[in-house]
Amino acid sequence: DDPTWPHGQREGWFGRDTNNMGVDKLAHAYSSYVIAELLHHRLRRKTGEAPGIQYTAAALAVGAMAYTEFWDSIESSGGWSWEDVTFNALGAGFSALRNSVPGLDEKLDYRLMIQPQEGRYRLSGKKHFEAQWHFFALKLAGFEGLRETPLRYLELDLGYRAEDFTNPDREAGIRPKRHVFVGVSLNFSEIVRRFAGGNRYGRAAASALEYIQPPYTMLSTNITE
């Protein structure tokens, strides 16, 4: 609505003095990761798994996210952020790694869980970031010795979230909190694949659940406060 000449801004990383305690940086990584994964899946289907497509997909994802960052740079309230660009590259890079190392995609996901707040989901603002739990899920189903045991439906999680950093919280003197957490969750992708993965809708659901964790399906504890 009010574009300006392209400019930059320093947003910081995960400090308590940053706007969103670093959750927005992980959201950039996650977006870039998902774009790279979607492109890799499409390229794999269209090229018959040609060599190097994981790097092509990652490069295209970084380019797409750089395009969105350019639009941030002409907003009067925004600016080009090298911190965002760094996490865009990290997210796409993890996709390239996951699709390069044999078997890694069967063992490790980067996943997002969004917990409703006050009974509803929020699509923007600080409350939107407070609801996000970003984590790596180590899938026991990816290990040969556990693949045919009940443990295949479980996964071990390591992630990050933050809370109490909205403007009203800060003005009230509430100390913002950063949490690195560990947890155990259900591998819904494996559950769907085992019991409903025989048709394309089941396969699509199983694939989507490699990236999105349903809320309230993790037992977790914070290892930092």
Side-chain angles (χ1 to χ4, degrees), residues 59-163:
L60 290 171
V62 170
M65 294 298 289
Y67 178 75
T68 67
E69 196 65 29
F70 168 76
W71 287 103
D72 285 346
S73 77
I74 64 172
E75 291 182 0
S76 57
S77 60
W80 177 279
S81 166
W82 285 110
E83 294 92 337
D84 288 348
V85 172
T86 298
F87 273 85
N88 293 339
L90 288 173
F94 179 66
S95 172
L97 176 67
R98 188 171 177 267
N99 292 305
S100 297
V101 178
L104 185 60
D105 61 334
E106 298 176 356
K107 296 180 176 69
L108 191 64
D109 290 346
Y110 176 19
R111 208 172 295 164
L112 172 65
M113 181 170 68
I114 300 179
Q115 299 274 42
Q117 293 191 317
E118 299 170 359
R120 63 191 180 98
Y121 287 102
R122 301 170 187 269
L123 301 179
S124 61
K126 291 179 179 293
K127 284 290 186 182
H128 168 65
F129 287 123
E130 270 195 339
Q132 295 183 13
W133 296 44
H134 291 264
F135 64 96
F136 289 109
L138 183 68
K139 302 180 290 187
L140 301 186
F143 295 88
E144 187 173 352
L146 302 175
R147 196 165 292 158
E148 299 302 326
T149 73
L151 292 175
R152 65 180 178 267
Y153 300 120
L154 296 178
E155 53 199 19
L156 307 178
D157 308 312
L158 174 66
Y160 176 83
R161 66 184 184 91
E163 60 183 337

Side-chain angles (χ1 to χ4, degrees), residues 112-116 121 131 133 188 209 212-218:
L112 172 65
M113 181 170 68
I114 300 179
Q115 299 274 42
Y121 287 102
W133 296 44
F188 281 94
L209 288 166
I212 295 290
Q213 183 76 17
Y216 308 118
T217 59
M218 179 192 298

Side-chain angles (χ1 to χ4, degrees), residues 188-206:
F188 281 94
S189 178
E190 182 67 17
I191 293 171
V192 171
R193 188 172 284 112
R194 290 274 178 165
F195 297 103
N199 57 65
R200 68 177 186 175
Y201 300 106
R203 291 193 299 271

